[in-house]
Amino acid sequence: MRRAATVLLAALVGAWAPGLVAQTARLLAVEVQLNGEARGAALVAQAGDEFLIEVSDAHAWRLRVPEGAARSIQGRQFVPVAALGVRAANYDAGVARLGLEAPADAFLATVYEATVTSFPLTPATWGGFVTYDVLATRASGTNSLGAALEASVFSPYASLATQYVARDLWSSGSAEPQFVRTATALRRDFPDQLMSLQIGDGLTRPGAQGQSLRFGGVMLATDFALRPGFVTQPLPSFSGDAALPSTVEVFVQNQLRTVTQVPSGPFTLDNVPVITGAGDARIVVRDALGREQVLTSSFYSAGQLLRPGLNEFAVAAGKLRTDRADGSPDYGNEFAAGLWRRGMNDWLTLEMRGEYEKLRTQNLGGSVLVGTRLGEFEASATVADVEGVGGRFGGAVGWFYRDFLTTVGARYEQVESGFRFAGATDLSRALRSQFTATASRSLARGWSVGAFYLDAETQGGEHFRSLNASATWSMPRGSNLLFSVNRVDGTSGTRNIYGVLLTVPLGPNVFASAGLEGGSESRQTLVAQRTPPIDEGYGWRVAASHDSSGVRADAGAIAQLKHVNLSAEVSRVPGQSVAARAGAAGSVVLVEDKFALTRPVFDSFALVRLPGVPEVPVLLNNQLAGVTDEQGRLLLPRLQAYVPNEIKVEAAALPPDARIDQDRVIVVPPARSGVVAAVAVQRVAAAVISLRDAAGRPLPAGASVTVEPSGQASSVGLRGEVFLSGAPGRYRLEVLSQGTLCRVGFELPVTPKGRAYSQLGPYTCEP
C-alpha cells in the first residue's frame, strides 16, 4: 500500500512540475554568450538554479530542441538549458550576462557542397578557316608535291569540317594526281543539356567491353566536356564538428583543395575535389578564437564511376567505314549502336550496350563497375547472335588500383569461338581471349619502376605474349636514365630486346640523348634537338643510329613564323640515296570581320577586340601571344577547346587615355571554332566644346545639356563651353536654354598625345 502511494505521489509531482516552474520562474533580460561568442540580448527564465531559453532563440542559435521539452512561462515557450545539451550556465548578475557552454553535438548538423569552379561554354561566332600543309619530297630520284587540307565553317549554331589529302599534285614520275576526302562532319553542341549531335564521319563509344567503330552517319551523345569543371565521378565526403563558427580547410596529399566557412555544430563537406585513386585528406578546423583541430581521413576516388543519379549515353546509326587502300572512305554494312551508363550510388555504376551490324552480328551486353577502398572492380558480359553461327557468349573481369605512388591493375576477357563484335572484318583474327596486367611504383631517390604484360589468343589460333619492364632514374639537374626490357613471343618466334637510354638537358629547350639496345636486335642512337617554343621561334633535330644494316643519319629544322610554319628534313638510309623534304603549313582564318594568315589551327581560336587600342601586348594563359593591330584586334589561334583559356592585356602598355574595367577574360571555346574575347578596355577621349547660338553668341551658362546616344546629363559653363569625355566617335548634344531647344553634332577625336583634352568648336547649335 505504501509503495502504491509513493508511485501515485511521484506521478502527481511530475504532472504539476511544469506548472510549478511557470509559477516560480522569473524573467530576466540578459546578454548571452554561447561558447564565448556574443549572441546579443535575450529574454531568459530563471527557476531556482535552472535557466530556460526561449525556443525561438534556441532555433536562431541552431541548438537542438528535443521534442516535448518546451515549457510555457507567461505565454512564452521556454526550454531548459540542460535539455539543450548545455554543459554549464554561468550567470553574472552584476552585468546581467549569462554564459553558456555547449558541445558541438548540441548544435544542428550542416552539409556543405564543396565549391568546384565551373565555366560556361563561350558561344562561337561566325567564321571559317582553311588549314594547309604542303610538302615537297625528293626520294629515290623522284620529286613530288602533296598537301593535306582542312576546311571548316562555324557559327553559334553548328560547325562543319572536312579533311582532304592531295597526293602527287606534281610529280617528276608517272604518278597521277589524287584527291581523297578523309572525313566530313557537322557538329552541334547543346551545352545546357551536356549533349552533342554529330552528322557525318565519327567514332562510336566502346564502353567497358567492345571496340570503338568508325562510321558514317549520325550520333547523339552526352558530352561532359561542354562544361569545364563538371564533376562526373563520385567524390568523398568529410565530416567533423565545431563548437564555434569556424573555417574548415581540406588538404589532399598536402595540397589545399577547398576552404569553407561553417557554423557551430557537426558539419559534412560533400564532393570535395580530390585526386583519382587512393589518398589521404587532412581537415583543419580553425574557430573564431584561433583554436585549431586537425582530422585525418583516407579515401578512394574511382575515376570510372559516375556520381549518383548521373546518366551517360551515346546512340549512333549509319554505315560502318571500310576504307579503301588509298585511304578514301568507303561505307559498308548498316549498323546501330547504343550505350547507357548510370551512377546508382557512390560505389556502383551500371552500364548497358547494344550493337547491330546487318548480315553480321547483333549483341547485347552489360557491365557492373564497383568502387571500394581496395580499388575499382569490373564485371562484363555480352551475348551475341552471329549470322551463320548462332548465339555466343563473352565476358570480362578486371581490377584497378591507384594511389599517389602506385598503379596496379589486371583484366581478363574471353569469348566463345565464333563470337563477333560489330565491325570485326576478319573473324579468324578476332580475339578469343586476352589478359593484361600493369604495375608501376615511384620509389625513393628519384627511381620509378613499371611493367606491362599482355597474353592474347585469336579465334584463328594465333597466340601472342609480350612483357615490357622499365626502371627510370631522375638524376640531378634534369637528367634521366631509362632501363628497359622487352620480350615478345608470337607465331614468328621470340624476340628479346633490352636497352638503356640517357637523356641530358643542354640548355633551355635543348637536350641530347644516347641509347644502346641489345638482344635479338642491336642498335646505338645519338640524338640532339631543340624543341620549338609555343609562340614564334625555331627548333631543330639531328640524329644518327647504327644497326646491322649500317648507319642512318637524319637532320631537320622548323621555323615557326608569325603566319606560317616552315620545315625541312634530310635523311640518309643505308643502300639508298639521300631523301629530302620541305614543307609549309598554316591557316587562312576569317572571324567576323577579321581576316588573317596564321600558323596552323589545330584546335580553337579567339578574336581579341580592343577597339581603338593598337599595339597592346596580349597574353594567353600568362604567355605572350601577340600584339593588337591598328584597329585593336588580334587573332589567337592556339586555344584549347572546352577548357578555360585566360586572355589578358598588358595593362602597363595601355595608353594613358585607356579606361580599364577588366584587363582579362576567360573563354571556353567549342571545338574547331572561333570566339570573340571582348576585354573591357576602351579609349576614353576628352574635349572642351565651344557652343554658339545662331547669332554667333556663346550659349548662356547653366543651360542644360543631354549627350546622345548615352543620355548623359551636363550643363553649359562659362563662355558657352561644355566638357565631354567618353569613347571616341560621333556624338550629338541637345541644349535646352530659356525654353528653346537646339542641337549640334560633332566627332569626338582621340585625345592628342601629351594633352589632357581636345579643344573643339565653336559649333553653332541649330534650333
Side-chain angles (χ1 to χ4, degrees), residues 160-402:
L160 175 64
T162 184
Q163 293 89 35
Y164 285 88
V165 173
R167 299 188 180 93
D168 296 313
L169 293 173
W170 173 84
S171 175
S172 62
S174 58
E176 295 292 330
Q178 291 182 322
F179 294 89
V180 176
R181 181 187 66 84
T182 56
T184 301
L186 173 72
R187 179 185 173 110
R188 161 81 162 148
D189 293 330
F190 302 91
D192 294 339
Q193 292 78 30
L194 293 176
M195 290 191 309
S196 292
L197 173 66
Q198 182 171 308
I199 302 174
D201 297 304
L203 290 170
T204 63
R205 297 186 183 178
Q209 190 178 13
Q211 59 184 350
S212 184
L213 303 175
R214 300 179 67 197
F215 74 97
V218 59
M219 181 171 69
L220 179 67
T222 52
D223 191 349
F224 299 128
L226 295 177
R227 192 179 302 165
F230 183 79
V231 178
T232 61
Q233 68 194 68
L235 296 178
S237 299
F238 302 107
S239 300
D241 52 54
L244 287 172
S246 303
T247 300
V248 179
E249 300 174 340
V250 179
F251 294 83
V252 177
Q253 300 300 136
N254 292 323
Q255 292 187 354
L256 180 63
R257 291 304 178 107
T258 182
V259 179
T260 306
Q261 304 294 327
V262 301
S264 306
F267 62 85
T268 299
L269 299 180
D270 283 341
N271 295 328
V272 177
V274 296
I275 60 174
T276 300
D280 295 316
R282 181 165 51 93
I283 301 97
V284 180
V285 183
R286 189 176 295 106
D287 65 24
L289 301 180
R291 295 174 298 192
E292 186 177 285
Q293 58 172 319
V294 179
L295 311 173
T296 58
S297 177
S298 298
F299 63 87
Y300 191 94
S301 178
Q304 298 301 316
L305 300 187
L306 294 178
R307 70 186 190 192
L310 184 62
N311 292 288
E312 179 184 5
F313 76 91
V315 290
K319 290 190 174 183
L320 294 174
R321 284 187 55 161
T322 55
D323 294 350
R324 301 184 180 95
D326 61 0
S328 60
D330 195 7
Y331 302 95
N333 290 338
E334 298 173 356
F335 97 105
L339 171 70
W340 172 80
R341 303 177 71 234
R342 179 178 175 83
M344 306 304 295
N345 50 44
D346 286 338
W347 54 271
L348 176 64
T349 293
L350 299 183
E351 175 184 304
M352 294 292 294
R353 187 175 192 271
E355 291 180 342
Y356 163 78
E357 182 183 1
K358 186 178 181 180
L359 303 179
R360 289 289 184 89
T361 186
Q362 49 190 339
N363 54 65
L364 181 65
S367 298
V368 177
L369 302 175
V370 178
T372 72
R373 290 290 181 89
L374 300 178
E376 304 168 48
F377 297 86
E378 171 211 343
S380 302
T382 304
V383 177
D385 184 6
V386 183
E387 188 77 16
V389 178
R392 290 294 184 269
F393 176 81
V397 291
W399 167 74
F400 181 81
Y401 175 87
R402 172 186 293 167

